[in-house]
Amino acid sequence: MKAYSIGRDPSCNIVINDSTNVISRRHAILNVSSNGKMTITDQSSNGTYVNGMRITPNVAVAVTRKDIISFAHISQFDWNSIPKSDNWKTLAISAFSVLLIGGIAYFLMNIDWGNGNNINKEQNIVAADSTKRDATPIDSTDIKKKEAEKEKEKKDSTESADKSKKKRNKKSKPKQEEKKEEPKETAPKNRPLTS
């Protein structure tokens, strides 16, 4: 915490020139905390005013840079005499640094250092059977091959089922007995047959 003494005395941090002696030698103290919050304490006989209202002597009152402070209604406080807090800059720089370091760490952790091709690297998909304890890595081309094999097996089983159905249909039809036709006699009965 930084304390600024305000008054006529040349030893004060902020000296107010007043030839009438209305401003006290040590008129007020402005305390600025490390987080930028400020309080002012009146130590005068003629009073310190915040936004036109006289503050109680020896009682710290919270103030901001937007407040108008006057000493004995003779001199108005110049906020430019107090350096602005750079805490927001420090916080912004710290936050940026953390984000930058985190981004670099994430990038380095996701680089595939083995094959040199960091763009469009193929991810391994782990297929795990709930009854087995170990998992085997399978890449996307293996999955496509297995899908194609399943489709082919399905098609083959459908075709073989159709063939066996046709065979069953042929076997189930009763065989028509072939009637042997005897040669009909075209000649009259009393004539001998010649062949």
Side-chain angles (χ1 to χ4, degrees), residues 2 4-6 13-16 30 32 38 65 69 71 76-84:
K2 176 78 173 163
Y4 295 94
S5 58
I6 304 166
N13 297 103
I14 300 169
V15 178
I16 298 173
L30 181 70
V32 180
M38 296 179 280
R65 289 185 174 271
I69 299 173
F71 306 108
Q76 190 170 334
F77 182 64
D78 181 16
W79 281 106
N80 292 327
S81 58
I82 304 295
K84 290 184 179 181

Coordinates of all heavy atoms in Angstrom, one line a residue, residues 2 4-6 13-16 30 32 38 65 69 71 76-84:
K2 N 0.5 2.2 -0.8 CA 1.3 3.4 -0.9 C 0.4 4.5 -0.3 O -0.7 4.7 -0.6 CB 1.6 3.7 -2.4 CG 2.2 5.0 -2.7 CD 3.7 4.9 -2.4 CE 4.4 6.2 -2.9 NZ 5.6 6.4 -2.4
Y4 N 0.1 8.6 0.2 CA 0.5 10.0 -0.3 C 0.0 11.0 0.7 O -1.2 11.1 0.9 CB -0.1 10.2 -1.7 CG 0.4 9.3 -2.8 CD1 -0.4 8.2 -3.1 CD2 1.5 9.6 -3.5 CE1 0.1 7.3 -4.1 CE2 2.0 8.7 -4.5 CZ 1.3 7.6 -4.8 OH 1.7 6.8 -5.7
S5 N 0.9 11.8 1.2 CA 0.5 12.9 2.1 C 0.2 14.1 1.3 O 1.0 14.4 0.3 CB 1.6 13.1 3.2 OG 2.8 13.4 2.6
I6 N -0.8 14.8 1.7 CA -1.3 16.0 0.9 C -1.3 17.2 1.9 O -1.9 17.1 2.9 CB -2.6 15.8 0.2 CG1 -2.6 14.5 -0.6 CG2 -3.1 17.0 -0.6 CD1 -4.0 14.0 -1.1
N13 N 4.0 14.5 0.0 CA 4.2 13.9 -1.3 C 3.5 14.8 -2.4 O 4.1 15.0 -3.5 CB 3.6 12.5 -1.4 CG 4.2 11.5 -0.5 OD1 3.7 11.2 0.6 ND2 5.4 11.1 -0.8
I14 N 2.4 15.4 -2.0 CA 1.7 16.3 -2.9 C 1.5 17.6 -2.2 O 0.8 17.7 -1.2 CB 0.3 15.7 -3.3 CG1 0.5 14.4 -4.0 CG2 -0.4 16.7 -4.2 CD1 -0.8 13.6 -4.2
V15 N 2.3 18.6 -2.7 CA 2.3 19.9 -2.0 C 1.3 20.8 -2.6 O 1.3 21.0 -3.9 CB 3.7 20.5 -2.1 CG1 3.7 21.9 -1.4 CG2 4.7 19.6 -1.4
I16 N 0.4 21.5 -1.8 CA -0.6 22.4 -2.3 C -0.1 23.8 -1.8 O 0.1 24.1 -0.6 CB -2.0 22.1 -1.7 CG1 -2.4 20.8 -2.2 CG2 -3.0 23.2 -2.1 CD1 -3.7 20.3 -1.5
L30 N -3.9 10.1 1.2 CA -4.5 9.3 0.2 C -3.8 7.9 0.2 O -2.6 7.9 -0.1 CB -4.5 9.9 -1.2 CG -5.1 9.1 -2.3 CD1 -6.6 9.1 -2.2 CD2 -4.7 9.7 -3.7
V32 N -3.3 4.2 -1.5 CA -3.6 3.4 -2.7 C -3.1 2.0 -2.5 O -1.9 1.8 -2.2 CB -2.9 4.1 -3.9 CG1 -3.2 3.3 -5.2 CG2 -3.3 5.5 -4.1
M38 N -8.6 2.9 -3.5 CA -8.1 4.1 -2.8 C -9.0 4.6 -1.7 O -10.2 4.5 -1.8 CB -7.9 5.2 -3.8 CG -6.9 4.9 -4.9 SD -6.7 6.2 -6.1 CE -8.1 5.9 -7.1
R65 N -11.0 7.6 -9.1 CA -10.5 8.7 -9.9 C -11.7 9.5 -10.5 O -11.4 10.6 -10.9 CB -9.7 8.1 -11.0 CG -8.3 7.6 -10.5 CD -7.5 7.2 -11.7 NE -6.2 6.8 -11.2 CZ -5.1 7.6 -11.0 NH1 -5.3 8.9 -11.3 NH2 -4.0 7.2 -10.6
I69 N -12.4 15.8 -5.5 CA -12.0 16.0 -4.1 C -11.4 17.4 -4.0 O -10.7 17.9 -4.8 CB -10.8 15.0 -3.7 CG1 -11.4 13.6 -3.8 CG2 -10.3 15.3 -2.3 CD1 -10.3 12.5 -3.6
F71 N -10.0 20.5 -1.1 CA -9.4 20.8 0.2 C -9.9 22.2 0.7 O -9.5 23.2 0.1 CB -7.9 20.6 0.2 CG -7.5 19.3 -0.4 CD1 -6.9 19.2 -1.7 CD2 -7.7 18.1 0.3 CE1 -6.5 18.0 -2.2 CE2 -7.3 16.9 -0.2 CZ -6.7 16.9 -1.4
Q76 N -8.8 22.1 -5.6 CA -9.3 20.8 -6.1 C -8.2 19.9 -6.4 O -7.1 20.3 -6.9 CB -10.1 21.0 -7.4 CG -10.9 19.8 -7.8 CD -11.9 20.1 -8.9 OE1 -12.4 21.2 -9.0 NE2 -12.2 19.1 -9.6
F77 N -8.4 18.6 -6.0 CA -7.3 17.6 -6.1 C -7.1 17.2 -7.6 O -8.1 17.0 -8.3 CB -7.7 16.4 -5.3 CG -6.6 15.3 -5.4 CD1 -5.4 15.5 -4.8 CD2 -6.9 14.1 -5.9 CE1 -4.4 14.5 -4.8 CE2 -6.0 13.1 -6.0 CZ -4.7 13.3 -5.4
D78 N -5.8 17.2 -8.0 CA -5.5 16.8 -9.4 C -5.1 15.3 -9.4 O -4.1 14.9 -8.9 CB -4.3 17.7 -9.9 CG -3.9 17.3 -11.3 OD1 -4.7 16.6 -12.0 OD2 -2.8 17.7 -11.7
W79 N -6.0 14.5 -10.0 CA -5.7 13.0 -10.0 C -4.5 12.7 -10.8 O -3.9 11.6 -10.6 CB -6.9 12.3 -10.6 CG -8.0 12.2 -9.6 CD1 -9.2 12.8 -9.6 CD2 -8.1 11.3 -8.5 NE1 -10.0 12.5 -8.5 CE2 -9.3 11.5 -7.8 CE3 -7.2 10.4 -7.9 CZ2 -9.6 10.8 -6.6 CZ3 -7.5 9.7 -6.8 CH2 -8.7 9.9 -6.2
N80 N -4.0 13.5 -11.7 CA -2.8 13.2 -12.5 C -1.5 13.2 -11.6 O -0.5 12.7 -12.0 CB -2.6 14.3 -13.6 CG -3.7 14.1 -14.6 OD1 -4.2 13.1 -14.9 ND2 -4.1 15.3 -15.2
S81 N -1.6 13.7 -10.4 CA -0.5 13.7 -9.5 C -0.3 12.3 -8.9 O 0.7 12.0 -8.3 CB -0.6 14.7 -8.4 OG -1.8 14.5 -7.7
I82 N -1.3 11.4 -9.0 CA -1.2 10.0 -8.5 C -1.0 9.1 -9.8 O -1.8 9.1 -10.7 CB -2.5 9.6 -7.8 CG1 -2.8 10.5 -6.6 CG2 -2.4 8.1 -7.3 CD1 -1.7 10.5 -5.5
P83 N 0.1 8.3 -9.8 CA 0.3 7.4 -10.9 C -0.9 6.4 -11.0 O -1.3 5.9 -10.0 CB 1.6 6.7 -10.6 CG 2.1 7.2 -9.3 CD 1.1 8.2 -8.8
K84 N -1.3 6.1 -12.2 CA -2.4 5.1 -12.4 C -1.8 3.7 -12.1 O -0.7 3.4 -12.4 CB -2.9 5.2 -13.8 CG -3.7 6.4 -14.1 CD -4.3 6.4 -15.5 CE -5.1 7.6 -15.7 NZ -5.7 7.6 -17.0

